[in-house]
Amino acid sequence: MSSQKNVLEVILNSTRTVFNVQSLRMMTGSEDSQRLTKSLHYYVKEGKIRNPRRGIYTKATYDEREMACSLLRPAYVSLEYVLQRAGVVFQYDDTITCVSYQNRTVEVDGRSYQFRTINPELWIGMEGIEQQDNVMVATTERAFMDMVYLSAGNCYFDNLAPLNKTKVRQLLPLYQSKVLTSRVKELLNLK
């Protein structure tokens, strides 16, 4: 029973709100996955933690962006989600959009999480991606670049004023695309 208490204490005292068995094994130092899983199921049954998706455990309330980054790893929050919050795109959609290693849409607790794939080489260096609490989030400029890259230029932006053109210019070499560079320069009137 002491390991169960330890697992619950670790979860409740953590700044994280979303966990899987592997992350909890590392956090607790537990080597017995079966025992850990039994403990987790016990706490779910007792209502102390939640299990909104197979293999994913959460506190009673959790950060939905953290959930997004936990569903597919590696992943970072980007695209429309970031651009809406920055005021670049006005049309609201409560889908959390991410960049990951595969295209997929996942539903958890009535929330839609959309993942889109970019070239794995773009993950090297992680320029324009910030750690916010326990979540990897693209800067507004990186989300803009990801959007233009993934939409092949077939996208619309309501307000480009929030973008820092210097930061966009610094990200251009990362994408190694003359076509993308041309599109971005045209959209932002860069020379």
Side-chain angles (χ1 to χ4, degrees):
M1 197 60 124
S2 64
S3 72
Q4 289 178 342
K5 204 176 232 180
N6 186 19
V7 172
L8 186 60
E9 284 178 23
V10 166
I11 290 171
L12 296 179
N13 292 330
S14 175
T15 58
R16 295 179 63 179
T17 61
V18 180
F19 309 88
N20 61 29
V21 173
Q22 183 179 353
S23 67
L24 286 167
R25 279 186 63 200
M26 291 188 324
M27 293 170 73
T28 62
S30 173
E31 302 214 0
D32 188 351
S33 292
Q34 285 183 326
R35 187 173 183 175
L36 180 61
T37 302
K38 285 181 182 177
S39 296
L40 292 168
H41 288 293
Y42 170 79
Y43 287 120
V44 168
K45 187 176 169 185
E46 291 293 309
K48 306 238 186 245
I49 61 173
R50 298 187 58 230
N51 181 215
R53 183 170 171 87
R54 185 173 182 189
I56 304 277
Y57 299 90
T58 67
K59 293 180 178 181
T61 58
Y62 59 89
D63 183 338
E64 291 171 326
R65 297 171 315 144
E66 191 176 341
M67 175 63 78
C69 292
S70 298
L71 291 170
L72 294 180
R73 290 179 185 244
Y76 63 91
V77 177
S78 185
L79 306 164
E80 293 94 340
Y81 183 86
V82 171
L83 295 174
Q84 288 169 14
R85 277 133 190 92
V88 175
V89 175
F90 296 156
Q91 186 172 355
Y92 181 76
D93 182 1
D94 66 351
T95 299
I96 297 181
T97 52
C98 302
V99 171
S100 188
Y101 64 93
Q102 63 178 278
N103 288 321
R104 181 186 232 174
T105 300
V106 179
E107 291 275 334
V108 178
D109 280 344
R111 170 72 78 162
S112 185
Y113 299 88
Q114 183 181 25
F115 297 88
R116 301 204 35 215
T117 307
I118 62 169
N119 186 333
E121 292 177 8
L122 295 177
W123 287 82
I124 298 171
M126 303 294 280
E127 289 92 354
I129 302 170
E130 302 172 337
Q131 178 86 28
Q132 294 178 3
D133 300 317
N134 298 307
V135 182
M136 299 299 287
V137 180
T139 61
T140 305
E141 293 75 19
R142 175 71 184 240
F144 167 77
M145 294 293 293
D146 287 345
M147 188 76 169
V148 175
Y149 173 82
L150 287 169
S151 67
N154 188 17
C155 52
Y156 178 77
F157 303 100
D158 296 302
N159 176 21
L160 296 173
L163 295 172
N164 180 324
K165 291 180 181 181
T166 303
K167 289 182 181 179
V168 170
R169 205 183 302 256
Q170 290 170 350
L171 289 171
L172 278 171
L174 175 71
Y175 290 84
Q176 300 177 9
S177 169
K178 290 180 182 177
V179 173
L180 176 73
T181 300
S182 160
R183 283 187 198 123
V184 169
K185 285 183 175 182
E186 185 180 321
L187 281 167
L188 297 178
N189 296 321
L190 297 176
K191 295 188 170 56

